Amino acid sequence: MPGRVLITYGTKNGSTAEIAHVVASVLRDEGLEAEVRPPSEVEDVAPYDAIVIGGALYMGRWHRDARRFTRQHRKDLRERPVWLFSSGPLDPSASERDIPPVASARRAQRRTDALGHVTFGGRLEAGAKGRMAKAILDEGRGGDFRDLNRIAEWATDVAHDIGKPESA
Ligand SMILES: Cc1cc2nc3c(=O)[nH]c(=O)nc-3n(C[C@H](O)[C@H](O)[C@H](O)COP(=O)(O)O)c2cc1C
């Protein structure tokens, strides 16, 4: 039954985890069994038929936890369909055009033989961790640029590619 999907993520301020939950919810609507777990709670990817890995972008890099996950599980990931997403731009650019993966996400794509990658807009709001985050917010460059329609469209395409489980 090709229907169990893991969605995992690297996040600092939580917004990438929220995207992971939106992806999972769309996959479920499409008839798949979708589980969202932080990388620290995933021992083995072998039980899953497909894997989605998301990473926040910080200083031009894909989040460390996402990078590490693809290294730790590279062998099993290569044997399963994998999709990647990045979340970052704090402007509408990700809704307007396809933003290619940063170098570290590109390496993860090669490492896992991933079938696709997409960049979604990010979110930075009051309370975010780190001095640089506060500086960006002080300059008025924060906001929530996640585009739920774009996320849902991408997740629907992924679900169709995975294929719905055979009905009993
Ligand atoms: C210090 C800092 C550096 C960032 N660097 C990038 C970047 O290089 N590229 C990008 O697209 N977004 C960048 N962002 C925006 C974040 O990727 C965005 O806030 C993202 O949604 C954070 O995800 P998280 O909430 O899961 O941690 C940066 C944000 C901060 C605070």
Side-chain angles (χ1 to χ4, degrees), residues 10-17 56-61 63 87-90 102 119 121-124 128-129 132-134 136 146:
T11 184
K12 186 170 179 185
N13 285 299
S15 66
T16 307
L57 295 173
Y58 281 93
M59 310 303 286
R61 300 182 82 186
H63 194 282
S87 63
L90 297 173
V102 296
T119 302
R123 179 200 68 189
L124 187 69
K129 296 173 196 158
M132 287 185 62
K134 288 186 186 70
I136 296 170
R146 293 170 300 171

Side-chain angles (χ1 to χ4, degrees), residues 5 23 27 32 50 52 83 153-163:
V5 186
V23 170
L27 295 184
L32 297 162
V52 177
W83 284 266
E153 273 170 25
W154 182 79
T156 305
D157 287 347
V158 168
H160 291 170
D161 284 352
I162 293 170

Side-chain angles (χ1 to χ4, degrees), residues 110-123:
R110 282 198 297 269
R111 191 178 293 138
T112 58
D113 243 343
L115 297 171
H117 169 276
V118 65
T119 302
F120 297 125
R123 179 200 68 189

Side-chain angles (χ1 to χ4, degrees), residues 21-34 152 155-156 159-160 164-165:
H21 282 280
V22 173
V23 170
S25 146
V26 172
L27 295 184
R28 283 185 206 114
D29 287 348
E30 294 290 329
L32 297 162
E33 195 186 318
T156 305
H160 291 170
K164 290 182 184 174

